[in-house]
Amino acid sequence: MNKKNMIKLGIAMISILIVLNIGWFSAREIKYQPYKQDLSKSIMSTFVVPRYIAQDEDGFTYALKYPAYMSLSGNLSVSLPVKDDNPYVDSLIVWIDTFDKKEYGVVLYENENVYQIEIDSSGNPLDSEDQDIINKHKENVNSLLKKAKEKWEI
């Protein structure tokens, strides 16, 4: 391959990368823009992975994390109000991909144990072995799902 063809190939590859990046950044912004309404940019936010956060009058914390670079899935989260300066509170995470597929999970705290459980949109665990833990935290799980639905209509 001669030098002229190498230059053409290099320009073509750089052009493709630029188009892919512009397309990805644009699609990501279009998809996640509606979710950041009433949220403020987080101190952990970066240009490549924006993050937003807010707290409502009841003390629930809402957060949005855009997809990481060239990823298609970001997430929303809702956390219970912090009590007694303990930042470890039950939380709901909703993963949303570019094609609007949603997956739900909860992080539940019980004494010294932390449980990360995948659930459906109604709060039922995807794995029946997790049913007892979900039952113990059912009120919190329902409250978190209700807050997420009110905030983002999901």
Side-chain angles (χ1 to χ4, degrees), residues 28-62:
R28 179 188 76 165
E29 188 60 32
I30 290 167
K31 176 66 183 171
Y32 287 88
Q33 179 74 24
Y35 296 115
K36 73 179 188 181
Q37 184 177 349
D38 299 328
L39 301 179
S40 301
K41 194 168 268 197
S42 165
I43 60 172
M44 295 176 60
S45 186
T46 66
F47 172 74
V48 177
V49 184
R51 297 168 191 255
Y52 296 87
I53 193 164
Q55 195 171 54
D56 71 10
E57 62 279 349
D58 298 323
F60 284 80
T61 301
Y62 301 87

Tab-separated table of all heavy atoms in Angstrom, residues 28-62:
chain	number	residue	atom	x	y	z
A	28	ARG	N	-27.395	9.806	22.985
A	28	ARG	CA	-27.395	9.749	24.447
A	28	ARG	C	-28.083	10.977	25.033
A	28	ARG	O	-28.914	10.877	25.934
A	28	ARG	CB	-25.950	9.646	24.944
A	28	ARG	CG	-25.839	9.603	26.449
A	28	ARG	CD	-24.418	9.687	26.883
A	28	ARG	NE	-23.949	11.056	26.744
A	28	ARG	CZ	-22.852	11.517	27.307
A	28	ARG	NH1	-22.084	10.717	28.011
A	28	ARG	NH2	-22.497	12.766	27.165
A	29	GLU	N	-27.758	12.149	24.516
A	29	GLU	CA	-28.355	13.383	25.035
A	29	GLU	C	-29.860	13.415	24.779
A	29	GLU	O	-30.637	13.780	25.663
A	29	GLU	CB	-27.673	14.601	24.410
A	29	GLU	CG	-28.093	15.908	25.031
A	29	GLU	CD	-27.785	16.022	26.517
A	29	GLU	OE1	-26.788	15.449	26.987
A	29	GLU	OE2	-28.569	16.694	27.222
A	30	ILE	N	-30.274	13.022	23.591
A	30	ILE	CA	-31.702	13.000	23.264
A	30	ILE	C	-32.442	12.046	24.200
A	30	ILE	O	-33.517	12.360	24.699
A	30	ILE	CB	-31.914	12.610	21.786
A	30	ILE	CG1	-31.444	13.745	20.880
A	30	ILE	CG2	-33.372	12.263	21.512
A	30	ILE	CD1	-31.301	13.365	19.415
A	31	LYS	N	-31.859	10.878	24.467
A	31	LYS	CA	-32.502	9.863	25.304
A	31	LYS	C	-32.596	10.279	26.767
A	31	LYS	O	-33.614	10.084	27.417
A	31	LYS	CB	-31.723	8.540	25.181
A	31	LYS	CG	-32.230	7.447	26.064
A	31	LYS	CD	-33.606	7.035	25.636
A	31	LYS	CE	-34.158	5.985	26.582
A	31	LYS	NZ	-35.550	5.731	26.331
A	32	TYR	N	-31.543	10.856	27.320
A	32	TYR	CA	-31.489	11.117	28.759
A	32	TYR	C	-31.885	12.532	29.161
A	32	TYR	O	-32.096	12.798	30.345
A	32	TYR	CB	-30.101	10.755	29.306
A	32	TYR	CG	-29.935	9.253	29.357
A	32	TYR	CD1	-29.451	8.550	28.268
A	32	TYR	CD2	-30.333	8.537	30.469
A	32	TYR	CE1	-29.345	7.166	28.291
A	32	TYR	CE2	-30.236	7.163	30.509
A	32	TYR	CZ	-29.744	6.484	29.413
A	32	TYR	OH	-29.659	5.121	29.443
A	33	GLN	N	-32.004	13.437	28.217
A	33	GLN	CA	-32.384	14.827	28.503
A	33	GLN	C	-33.670	14.923	29.331
A	33	GLN	O	-33.713	15.658	30.317
A	33	GLN	CB	-32.519	15.605	27.184
A	33	GLN	CG	-32.935	17.048	27.339
A	33	GLN	CD	-31.841	17.938	27.869
A	33	GLN	OE1	-30.670	17.633	27.729
A	33	GLN	NE2	-32.213	19.020	28.485
A	34	PRO	N	-34.741	14.199	28.980
A	34	PRO	CA	-35.988	14.338	29.759
A	34	PRO	C	-35.859	13.920	31.226
A	34	PRO	O	-36.576	14.431	32.081
A	34	PRO	CB	-36.965	13.402	29.034
A	34	PRO	CG	-36.387	13.185	27.689
A	34	PRO	CD	-34.908	13.316	27.828
A	35	TYR	N	-34.952	13.012	31.527
A	35	TYR	CA	-34.818	12.523	32.906
A	35	TYR	C	-34.105	13.508	33.820
A	35	TYR	O	-34.208	13.400	35.035
A	35	TYR	CB	-34.067	11.188	32.933
A	35	TYR	CG	-34.803	10.076	32.225
A	35	TYR	CD1	-34.283	9.498	31.079
A	35	TYR	CD2	-36.015	9.613	32.710
A	35	TYR	CE1	-34.957	8.472	30.428
A	35	TYR	CE2	-36.692	8.587	32.066
A	35	TYR	CZ	-36.158	8.029	30.929
A	35	TYR	OH	-36.825	7.019	30.284
A	36	LYS	N	-33.374	14.462	33.267
A	36	LYS	CA	-32.606	15.359	34.135
A	36	LYS	C	-33.388	16.604	34.554
A	36	LYS	O	-32.863	17.442	35.266
A	36	LYS	CB	-31.274	15.721	33.494
A	36	LYS	CG	-31.314	16.663	32.343
A	36	LYS	CD	-29.881	16.928	31.857
A	36	LYS	CE	-29.868	18.018	30.831
A	36	LYS	NZ	-28.525	18.269	30.333
A	37	GLN	N	-34.644	16.673	34.176
A	37	GLN	CA	-35.486	17.799	34.575
A	37	GLN	C	-35.537	17.884	36.102
A	37	GLN	O	-35.741	16.896	36.787
A	37	GLN	CB	-36.898	17.620	34.005
A	37	GLN	CG	-37.802	18.783	34.278
A	37	GLN	CD	-39.173	18.589	33.631
A	37	GLN	OE1	-39.386	17.701	32.833
A	37	GLN	NE2	-40.098	19.435	34.005
A	38	ASP	N	-35.323	19.058	36.629
A	38	ASP	CA	-35.336	19.347	38.073
A	38	ASP	C	-34.159	18.727	38.829
A	38	ASP	O	-34.174	18.681	40.057
A	38	ASP	CB	-36.648	18.896	38.732
A	38	ASP	CG	-37.861	19.599	38.154
A	38	ASP	OD1	-37.730	20.761	37.747
A	38	ASP	OD2	-38.938	18.971	38.112
A	39	LEU	N	-33.153	18.231	38.128
A	39	LEU	CA	-31.961	17.703	38.785
A	39	LEU	C	-30.804	18.666	38.530
A	39	LEU	O	-30.760	19.343	37.514
A	39	LEU	CB	-31.594	16.320	38.238
A	39	LEU	CG	-32.645	15.217	38.358
A	39	LEU	CD1	-32.122	13.923	37.754
A	39	LEU	CD2	-33.050	14.985	39.801
A	40	SER	N	-29.864	18.710	39.454
A	40	SER	CA	-28.686	19.563	39.319
A	40	SER	C	-27.465	18.709	39.027
A	40	SER	O	-27.381	17.560	39.471
A	40	SER	CB	-28.435	20.332	40.619
A	40	SER	OG	-29.554	21.114	40.939
A	41	LYS	N	-26.516	19.290	38.323
A	41	LYS	CA	-25.291	18.563	38.000
A	41	LYS	C	-24.577	18.172	39.293
A	41	LYS	O	-24.401	18.979	40.191
A	41	LYS	CB	-24.386	19.417	37.121
A	41	LYS	CG	-23.270	18.628	36.467
A	41	LYS	CD	-22.572	19.418	35.402
A	41	LYS	CE	-23.243	19.115	34.092
A	41	LYS	NZ	-22.471	19.483	32.929
A	42	SER	N	-24.175	16.921	39.370
A	42	SER	CA	-23.470	16.383	40.534
A	42	SER	C	-22.003	16.778	40.497
A	42	SER	O	-21.436	17.004	39.423
A	42	SER	CB	-23.601	14.856	40.522
A	42	SER	OG	-22.680	14.265	41.399
A	43	ILE	N	-21.359	16.808	41.655
A	43	ILE	CA	-19.925	17.095	41.697
A	43	ILE	C	-19.124	15.965	41.050
A	43	ILE	O	-17.980	16.154	40.677
A	43	ILE	CB	-19.416	17.342	43.139
A	43	ILE	CG1	-19.662	16.121	44.031
A	43	ILE	CG2	-20.029	18.584	43.727
A	43	ILE	CD1	-19.013	16.208	45.395
A	44	MET	N	-19.729	14.798	40.873
A	44	MET	CA	-19.060	13.666	40.223
A	44	MET	C	-19.259	13.672	38.708
A	44	MET	O	-18.783	12.785	38.021
A	44	MET	CB	-19.573	12.355	40.815
A	44	MET	CG	-19.211	12.177	42.275
A	44	MET	SD	-19.901	10.687	43.008
A	44	MET	CE	-19.182	9.430	41.993
A	45	SER	N	-19.963	14.668	38.205
A	45	SER	CA	-20.261	14.740	36.775
A	45	SER	C	-19.017	15.078	35.969
A	45	SER	O	-18.170	15.861	36.397
A	45	SER	CB	-21.330	15.812	36.544
A	45	SER	OG	-21.743	15.822	35.201
A	46	THR	N	-18.919	14.458	34.794
A	46	THR	CA	-17.843	14.781	33.855
A	46	THR	C	-18.460	15.038	32.491
A	46	THR	O	-19.642	14.745	32.272
A	46	THR	CB	-16.819	13.625	33.731
A	46	THR	OG1	-17.475	12.488	33.137
A	46	THR	CG2	-16.220	13.259	35.071
A	47	PHE	N	-17.669	15.547	31.568
A	47	PHE	CA	-18.174	15.779	30.215
A	47	PHE	C	-18.592	14.461	29.565
A	47	PHE	O	-19.621	14.379	28.913
A	47	PHE	CB	-17.107	16.465	29.355
A	47	PHE	CG	-17.486	16.558	27.904
A	47	PHE	CD1	-18.451	17.465	27.493
A	47	PHE	CD2	-16.909	15.723	26.963
A	47	PHE	CE1	-18.838	17.544	26.156
A	47	PHE	CE2	-17.275	15.789	25.631
A	47	PHE	CZ	-18.244	16.707	25.225
A	48	VAL	N	-17.796	13.431	29.768
A	48	VAL	CA	-18.067	12.150	29.117
A	48	VAL	C	-19.214	11.412	29.799
A	48	VAL	O	-20.037	10.787	29.137
A	48	VAL	CB	-16.795	11.276	29.085
A	48	VAL	CG1	-17.081	9.914	28.482
A	48	VAL	CG2	-15.696	11.973	28.293
A	49	VAL	N	-19.295	11.470	31.126
A	49	VAL	CA	-20.369	10.795	31.861
A	49	VAL	C	-21.045	11.796	32.802
A	49	VAL	O	-20.698	11.900	33.977
A	49	VAL	CB	-19.839	9.580	32.664
A	49	VAL	CG1	-21.006	8.846	33.326
A	49	VAL	CG2	-19.045	8.637	31.783
A	50	PRO	N	-22.026	12.538	32.277
A	50	PRO	CA	-22.746	13.481	33.134
A	50	PRO	C	-23.555	12.753	34.218
A	50	PRO	O	-24.066	11.657	33.997
A	50	PRO	CB	-23.682	14.199	32.161
A	50	PRO	CG	-23.107	13.962	30.814
A	50	PRO	CD	-22.435	12.631	30.887
A	51	ARG	N	-23.648	13.387	35.375
A	51	ARG	CA	-24.430	12.865	36.496
A	51	ARG	C	-25.219	14.023	37.093
A	51	ARG	O	-24.703	15.131	37.220
A	51	ARG	CB	-23.522	12.268	37.567
A	51	ARG	CG	-22.718	11.079	37.088
A	51	ARG	CD	-21.631	10.742	38.104
A	51	ARG	NE	-20.694	9.793	37.576
A	51	ARG	CZ	-20.653	8.508	37.913
A	51	ARG	NH1	-21.513	8.032	38.782
A	51	ARG	NH2	-19.752	7.712	37.389
A	52	TYR	N	-26.440	13.732	37.482
A	52	TYR	CA	-27.321	14.744	38.051
A	52	TYR	C	-27.955	14.192	39.314
A	52	TYR	O	-28.137	12.983	39.470
A	52	TYR	CB	-28.404	15.129	37.041
A	52	TYR	CG	-27.825	15.767	35.809
A	52	TYR	CD1	-27.388	15.002	34.737
A	52	TYR	CD2	-27.683	17.145	35.734
A	52	TYR	CE1	-26.832	15.590	33.609
A	52	TYR	CE2	-27.122	17.743	34.607
A	52	TYR	CZ	-26.704	16.951	33.556
A	52	TYR	OH	-26.142	17.533	32.455
A	53	ILE	N	-28.315	15.105	40.227
A	53	ILE	CA	-28.842	14.679	41.521
A	53	ILE	C	-29.799	15.738	42.067
A	53	ILE	O	-29.668	16.927	41.753
A	53	ILE	CB	-27.679	14.404	42.510
A	53	ILE	CG1	-28.165	13.660	43.734
A	53	ILE	CG2	-26.957	15.684	42.859
A	53	ILE	CD1	-27.048	13.037	44.549
A	54	ALA	N	-30.745	15.301	42.891
A	54	ALA	CA	-31.659	16.229	43.569
A	54	ALA	C	-32.281	15.505	44.766
A	54	ALA	O	-32.258	14.275	44.848
A	54	ALA	CB	-32.757	16.703	42.627
A	55	GLN	N	-32.825	16.299	45.657
A	55	GLN	CA	-33.522	15.754	46.818
A	55	GLN	C	-34.886	16.417	46.891
A	55	GLN	O	-35.009	17.629	46.680
A	55	GLN	CB	-32.712	16.031	48.082
A	55	GLN	CG	-33.142	15.222	49.270
A	55	GLN	CD	-32.161	15.377	50.420
A	55	GLN	OE1	-31.874	16.490	50.828
A	55	GLN	NE2	-31.686	14.266	50.949
A	56	ASP	N	-35.922	15.623	47.173
A	56	ASP	CA	-37.258	16.212	47.258
A	56	ASP	C	-37.565	16.663	48.684
A	56	ASP	O	-36.747	16.499	49.601
A	56	ASP	CB	-38.331	15.273	46.693
A	56	ASP	CG	-38.609	14.046	47.554
A	56	ASP	OD1	-38.126	13.962	48.704
A	56	ASP	OD2	-39.334	13.150	47.069
A	57	GLU	N	-38.749	17.223	48.864
A	57	GLU	CA	-39.132	17.771	50.168
A	57	GLU	C	-39.257	16.687	51.244
A	57	GLU	O	-39.206	16.975	52.436
A	57	GLU	CB	-40.438	18.568	50.057
A	57	GLU	CG	-41.648	17.770	49.605
A	57	GLU	CD	-41.747	17.541	48.102
A	57	GLU	OE1	-40.993	18.156	47.331
A	57	GLU	OE2	-42.582	16.719	47.689
A	58	ASP	N	-39.420	15.425	50.838
A	58	ASP	CA	-39.512	14.323	51.791
A	58	ASP	C	-38.149	13.716	52.121
A	58	ASP	O	-38.052	12.794	52.925
A	58	ASP	CB	-40.420	13.213	51.238
A	58	ASP	CG	-41.846	13.692	51.021
A	58	ASP	OD1	-42.333	14.502	51.840
A	58	ASP	OD2	-42.472	13.269	50.033
A	59	GLY	N	-37.082	14.206	51.470
A	59	GLY	CA	-35.744	13.716	51.738
A	59	GLY	C	-35.272	12.604	50.812
A	59	GLY	O	-34.160	12.101	50.960
A	60	PHE	N	-36.123	12.179	49.863
A	60	PHE	CA	-35.705	11.161	48.903
A	60	PHE	C	-34.682	11.776	47.947
A	60	PHE	O	-34.824	12.924	47.539
A	60	PHE	CB	-36.903	10.644	48.098
A	60	PHE	CG	-37.786	9.705	48.867
A	60	PHE	CD1	-38.727	10.202	49.764
A	60	PHE	CD2	-37.682	8.335	48.691
A	60	PHE	CE1	-39.551	9.345	50.474
A	60	PHE	CE2	-38.500	7.473	49.391
A	60	PHE	CZ	-39.436	7.972	50.294
A	61	THR	N	-33.670	10.999	47.590
A	61	THR	CA	-32.632	11.469	46.680
A	61	THR	C	-32.832	10.811	45.315
A	61	THR	O	-33.028	9.596	45.221
A	61	THR	CB	-31.230	11.111	47.211
A	61	THR	OG1	-31.074	11.719	48.495
A	61	THR	CG2	-30.141	11.608	46.280
A	62	TYR	N	-32.792	11.635	44.275
A	62	TYR	CA	-32.936	11.172	42.893
A	62	TYR	C	-31.619	11.410	42.177
A	62	TYR	O	-30.999	12.456	42.345
A	62	TYR	CB	-34.035	11.962	42.174
A	62	TYR	CG	-35.383	11.846	42.833
A	62	TYR	CD1	-35.753	12.707	43.862
A	62	TYR	CD2	-36.282	10.869	42.442
A	62	TYR	CE1	-36.984	12.599	44.477
A	62	TYR	CE2	-37.524	10.752	43.049
A	62	TYR	CZ	-37.869	11.617	44.064
A	62	TYR	OH	-39.079	11.508	44.674
